[in-house]
Amino acid sequence: MCRKMPKYVDQAIKDEILEKLSLEHRNKFLNMCLSAMLKPEEMEFLKEVQDFCVSYENSNNITHGPEEDIYDWYSDFAKAGYITRAHKFNCIDLDYNPWGLTAELMRALALCFFDPQILMMFGASILGINPIEAHHENVPVRLEALKSIVAGEKPSCILITEPERGSDAVHQLSVCEEQDDGSFMLNGEKIFNTNAPKAKWAIAYATAEKNNGRQMAQFLIDTDWEGWNCERVFIPWAPKLYIGHEHLTDLRVPKEYVLGGVGKGRDHMFEGLVVERIMIATQNICECWNALAHATIYANMRKQFGQPILQFQGVGMLLADLFAKTQTLTYGLLKFCQDYDALAEKYGSEHAIPPRINQALVPTASQFKYMAAQSSKEVCYEAANAMGGAGLCDNTLMHDLINISRIQEIVGGSRQIQLYIIMGALGRIFKAL
Ligand SMILES: Cc1cc2nc3c(=O)[nH]c(=O)nc-3n(C[C@H](O)[C@H](O)[C@H](O)COP(=O)(O)OP(=O)(O)OC[C@H]3O[C@@H](n4cnc5c(N)ncnc54)[C@H](O)[C@@H]3O)c2cc1C
């Protein structure tokens, strides 16, 4: 099926090329590239999610044009079990199979090819899901919240960043004050929180004493509660995402919604770091593949000077270079995901992986996040460049990919912060010699 054009734009790419750039054809390109690397069961799950996306796109006449609201589609993907496969979710009567980081990579590839912004929206929701999954302690209201995000109607969000505390996330200014009944009163300001204006549930961090990381706590918040005030921050590079700026004013969090009391917030924030950074790296690699699929198909069909532009070294070797980078990085990430899943199996669950092992994986996760975000920035731009004007108009998802690739080095910890973590590892390795 050709991509239908949004109303106010013209079709710049001819029918026969647009037809080949369809989701089905790009999926086929991806599957051929990955076939030597994936185990049969991994390929099977990838194809399962791809089939869902293709049939969803066709049956809902989705064009990915500017008038569509990707949040309208959340519950359909939730009911199909494709918001996250990071856990089995037995605690909320789900029994996802497959699950784990490798399954997350397969899910992300299929979703990114469908719509890169929806993958980022789900990714931010997972940042809200993971802490509840880890700290529900069978408290009914927490389990209900968890189920409504994983398999329900609306995404969740995470509130770490503040207007004055971005990279320095440990020295927060938002405060929490414990009340006699064990509830907490929250006051503070947060910003750049993906999904927040659309979310029902939020995870927020605050501290009993400003600038004191050891006094941090972690809360589950119902955004219908009094004291939650949220405005949208518009990020033009991801125009379909709703990013929030919140003022928390005398917001009372009942005791059963306190996921980590004063003193536990910092550990709770860091415990999920490896998985979260790997998930962003995953998202970035998926962006590379999607851009590469577009550019490769286009360069084989577009003719100039009487021959396909792929035959010109300037185009063909550029795409070969991007292909080599994307393929090798994917191999590395896949190996990491498989090893991590094997650790979860060995210790009985992902939460039981010993902290010393998790700690040792932190710099590796930063390396993947650093390299994958950098690759997304390079591959998406260069692939579009190889397509000429067709890569820049809005007839395909290429402009979404270029745009979203521009923000990846900031989200989830900036490029410099990743390098800072990797640099620290070099010092520790030397000390151990
Ligand atoms: C689209 C988008 C979505 C986001 N989603 C979320 C979300 O869901 N939840 C959430 O809590 N936050 C979210 N963020 C916030 C994001 O995590 C922060 O923007 C990021 O951590 C950087 O913080 P900052 O913007 O305050 O920049 P700053 O921390 O002010 O950094 C500015 C510059 O200084 C550099 N810098 C800072 N400290 C150092 C240092 N020690 N060494 C070297 N360089 C340094 C940084 O690398 C950067 O280049 C999102 C941001 C964006 C843009």
Side-chain angles (χ1 to χ4, degrees), residues 276-328:
E276 283 157 19
R277 297 232 156 108
I278 290 297
M279 283 183 178
I280 297 176
T282 296
Q283 184 184 311
N284 300 160
I285 283 173
C286 299
E287 289 152 3
C288 295
W289 278 113
N290 199 357
L292 201 57
H294 278 92
T296 304
I297 293 168
Y298 187 79
N300 273 286
M301 298 185 77
R302 169 75 171 175
K303 285 190 178 152
Q304 288 295 288
F305 303 98
Q307 54 178 323
I309 57 170
L310 186 82
Q311 301 304 326
F312 302 120
Q313 284 194 2
V315 175
M317 288 196 176
L318 169 64
L319 292 182
D321 174 68
L322 304 179
F323 186 26
K325 284 175 179 156
T326 303
Q327 182 92 305
T328 51

Side-chain angles (χ1 to χ4, degrees), residues 21 28 48 75 85 114 129 152 155 203 214-215 267 290 331 335 343 364 372 388 390-391 399 416 420:
L21 289 172
K28 274 188 196 160
E48 176 195 313
S75 63
R85 287 301 179 104
F114 168 67
I129 288 169
I203 297 292
R214 283 188 291 272
Q215 297 284 302
D267 286 349
N290 199 357
Y331 252 116
K335 167 92 170 78
L343 278 173
T364 316
H399 71 106
Q416 289 86 344
Y420 181 71

Side-chain angles (χ1 to χ4, degrees), residues 185-201:
M185 199 65 90
L186 264 57
N187 281 285
E189 193 180 347
K190 300 279 178 180
I191 196 163
F192 295 138
N193 313 110
T194 308
N195 299 336
K198 294 272 192 179
K200 162 76 173 161
W201 294 101

Side-chain angles (χ1 to χ4, degrees), residues 107 126 173 292 351 396:
R107 184 191 64 85
I126 296 169
L173 301 178
L292 201 57
H351 303 302
T396 74

Side-chain angles (χ1 to χ4, degrees), residues 120 158-161 165-167 191-194 235 243 407 410-414 416-417:
M120 190 166 162
I158 188 146
L159 277 57
I160 299 174
T161 307
R165 295 291 184 275
S167 302
I191 196 163
F192 295 138
N193 313 110
T194 308
I235 304 272
I243 316 278
I407 57 180
I410 291 295
V411 297
S414 70
Q416 289 86 344
I417 294 302

Side-chain angles (χ1 to χ4, degrees), residues 127-137 142 157-160 172 176 184 186 190 202-208 213 215-221 253-272 276:
L127 298 183
I129 288 169
N130 285 346
I132 314 175
E133 199 275 341
H135 301 290
H136 61 76
E137 290 163 8
R142 299 182 197 175
C157 61
I158 188 146
L159 277 57
I160 299 174
Q172 304 221 334
C176 58
F184 278 81
L186 264 57
K190 300 279 178 180
I203 297 292
Y205 293 87
T207 177
Q215 297 284 302
M216 279 169 73
Q218 185 193 44
F219 304 97
L220 172 61
I221 293 174
V253 181
K255 194 177 173 181
E256 59 271 37
Y257 294 84
V258 180
L259 297 183
V262 172
K264 290 190 181 156
R266 186 180 150 141
D267 286 349
H268 283 206
M269 191 162 82
F270 285 127
E271 72 193 351
E276 283 157 19

Side-chain angles (χ1 to χ4, degrees), residues 51-358:
D51 288 348
F52 178 85
C53 290
V54 169
S55 109
Y56 193 77
E57 188 179 79
N58 290 340
S59 54
N60 292 288
N61 289 322
I62 289 169
T63 67
H64 306 279
E67 74 287 355
E68 291 168 347
D69 184 347
I70 55 174
Y71 290 87
D72 288 344
W73 307 334
Y74 188 89
S75 63
D76 293 327
F77 282 82
K79 279 164 199 146
Y82 299 138
I83 300 297
T84 171
R85 287 301 179 104
H87 314 282
K88 224 171 160 52
F89 291 110
N90 286 338
C91 61
I92 47 172
D93 305 323
L94 298 171
D95 190 21
Y96 284 159
N97 188 27
W99 66 279
L101 281 187
T102 314
E104 279 294 84
L105 175 54
M106 301 306 121
R107 184 191 64 85
L109 281 163
L111 287 174
C112 180
F113 272 55
F114 168 67
D115 193 308
Q117 291 182 81
I118 209 173
L119 177 62
M120 190 166 162
M121 185 245 280
F122 291 177
S125 197
I126 296 169
L127 298 183
I129 288 169
N130 285 346
I132 314 175
E133 199 275 341
H135 301 290
H136 61 76
E137 290 163 8
N138 290 318
V139 176
V141 288
R142 299 182 197 175
L143 291 171
E144 278 162 33
L146 183 61
K147 190 153 191 177
S148 85
I149 308 165
V150 175
E153 302 291 323
K154 288 185 171 185
S156 62
C157 61
I158 188 146
L159 277 57
I160 299 174
T161 307
E162 301 180 346
E164 298 303 322
R165 295 291 184 275
S167 302
D168 188 7
V170 166
H171 298 107
Q172 304 221 334
L173 301 178
S174 295
V175 287
C176 58
E177 203 179 319
E178 190 162 8
Q179 312 293 298
D180 292 343
D181 62 358
S183 67
F184 278 81
M185 199 65 90
L186 264 57
N187 281 285
E189 193 180 347
K190 300 279 178 180
I191 196 163
F192 295 138
N193 313 110
T194 308
N195 299 336
K198 294 272 192 179
K200 162 76 173 161
W201 294 101
I203 297 292
Y205 293 87
T207 177
E209 186 190 358
K210 285 186 182 186
N211 286 313
N212 187 345
R214 283 188 291 272
Q215 297 284 302
M216 279 169 73
Q218 185 193 44
F219 304 97
L220 172 61
I221 293 174
D222 183 336
T223 60
D224 289 331
W225 289 343
E226 213 172 305
W228 169 270
N229 307 291
C230 178
E231 297 294 328
R232 184 181 185 190
V233 180
F234 189 65
I235 304 272
W237 272 332
K240 291 187 180 177
L241 288 174
Y242 279 69
I243 316 278
H245 179 184
E246 301 81 20
H247 288 87
L248 311 178
T249 312
D250 288 337
L251 190 150
R252 197 180 78 83
V253 181
K255 194 177 173 181
E256 59 271 37
Y257 294 84
V258 180
L259 297 183
V262 172
K264 290 190 181 156
R266 186 180 150 141
D267 286 349
H268 283 206
M269 191 162 82
F270 285 127
E271 72 193 351
L273 214 57
V274 168
V275 166
E276 283 157 19
R277 297 232 156 108
I278 290 297
M279 283 183 178
I280 297 176
T282 296
Q283 184 184 311
N284 300 160
I285 283 173
C286 299
E287 289 152 3
C288 295
W289 278 113
N290 199 357
L292 201 57
H294 278 92
T296 304
I297 293 168
Y298 187 79
N300 273 286
M301 298 185 77
R302 169 75 171 175
K303 285 190 178 152
Q304 288 295 288
F305 303 98
Q307 54 178 323
I309 57 170
L310 186 82
Q311 301 304 326
F312 302 120
Q313 284 194 2
V315 175
M317 288 196 176
L318 169 64
L319 292 182
D321 174 68
L322 304 179
F323 186 26
K325 284 175 179 156
T326 303
Q327 182 92 305
T328 51
L329 196 50
T330 307
Y331 252 116
L333 185 72
L334 179 66
K335 167 92 170 78
F336 183 97
C337 292
Q338 290 166 340
D339 287 353
Y340 193 89
D341 290 344
L343 278 173
E345 201 175 323
K346 177 178 171 189
Y347 290 102
S349 98
E350 65 280 29
H351 303 302
I353 297 174
R356 70 183 160 75
I357 296 183
N358 243 324

